[in-house]
Amino acid sequence: MVPGTDLSRRGVLSAAVLGTAASLVGAGAIGSLAPAAAFGAPAVLPGEPDPNFAEGRVTSIDGSLIRATGSDGTLHRIQTTSATSFWKLTPSTIESVATGDGFYARGLRMPDGSLAADAVWVNIVSLDAHVATLRGPVARANAARANAARANAAGADAAGGVRADGGQVHLDHRGSRIVGHVVPGVSAAVYNGAPAVNDLSLVRVGTHVHVIGAWHPDTNEMDIATLYTAV
């Protein structure tokens, strides 16, 4: 470390906001950008608000400054820098953020009350649901896998060649229907806690799932990032 250089999380973010850093590391070097990290437990006492967290909907974007209103009516100023990482289903940039988008942000509360963000998750949603029906390629892949299993055709290898490339997973969540879009090459499934795979053909109608994804604002639709279930 160069003498006098503070490479701590606080030092990096403060330097970025104050314009004193010649070069900056990405937020991924400070904390995880994985979607699940947005829902991590805050390092505060139970019942106390986390000063280094903000959520809400974007009301305006002025250069690197995001203004937003929280779900409780709190007005937020989210200061982003070249050290800020963005997620909008996939790693992204501030250019992908639009007025009306929802967000979670983690970072460092500055003396002026703004939040210097090290990570911003745009339109992120995490929910428990039951699979109501499958549509499109994911439904066809699921049926083909089931038929192969019933016929015991070529064993697991043949069934393993069936992949769900797109389609929809319709979810029942607290009495509401949600349409989850399977995004080819992006949406992944975690079966029985195993490593994630880009194949949702094992998802079964009627099963319980936990889904993390990117919401389509003001609709009942979302793009699936990761679906967790048992098989």
Side-chain angles (χ1 to χ4, degrees):
M1 179 183 297
V2 177
T5 300
D6 182 1
L7 291 182
S8 67
R9 177 171 175 271
R10 179 178 294 272
V12 168
L13 290 173
S14 297
V17 172
L18 297 175
T20 58
S23 62
L24 297 168
V25 298
I30 302 172
S32 174
L33 184 63
F39 305 98
V44 296
L45 295 174
E48 293 292 325
D50 183 354
N52 298 317
F53 172 82
E55 59 77 33
R57 297 192 73 170
V58 177
T59 56
S60 68
I61 305 168
D62 183 9
S64 61
L65 180 66
I66 298 173
R67 290 184 171 86
T69 301
S71 58
D72 62 354
T74 300
L75 301 180
H76 295 294
R77 288 177 295 126
I78 311 300
Q79 182 64 59
T80 69
T81 72
S82 58
T84 305
S85 292
F86 290 85
W87 179 94
K88 194 173 186 179
L89 188 64
T90 59
S92 190
T93 65
I94 193 172
E95 284 73 23
S96 70
V97 184
T99 300
D101 279 344
F103 73 94
Y104 282 3
R106 293 193 183 277
L108 178 67
R109 190 67 59 179
M110 302 300 291
D112 65 357
S114 65
L115 182 74
D118 62 19
V120 178
W121 295 268
V122 183
N123 292 330
I124 192 166
V125 61
S126 174
L127 55 86
D128 290 302
H130 284 84
V131 178
T133 187
L134 304 172
R135 300 284 176 86
V138 68
R140 293 190 291 272
N142 182 277
R145 186 180 285 275
N147 290 337
R150 279 194 296 268
N152 198 25
D157 289 341
V162 178
R163 297 185 65 84
D165 189 19
Q168 299 173 346
V169 179
H170 288 225
L171 305 165
D172 283 336
H173 171 68
R174 297 182 179 177
S176 298
R177 178 61 57 89
I178 295 172
V179 178
H181 296 275
V182 178
V183 181
V186 175
S187 300
V190 172
Y191 300 112
N192 302 328
V197 293
N198 290 114
D199 179 12
L200 276 69
S201 65
L202 284 174
V203 176
R204 300 192 304 272
V205 171
T207 57
H208 174 267
V209 295
H210 182 80
V211 186
I212 296 177
W215 200 263
H216 297 190
D218 301 315
T219 73
N220 69 328
E221 302 181 31
M222 63 182 292
D223 293 332
I224 297 172
T226 308
L227 181 150
Y228 301 82
T229 189
V231 295

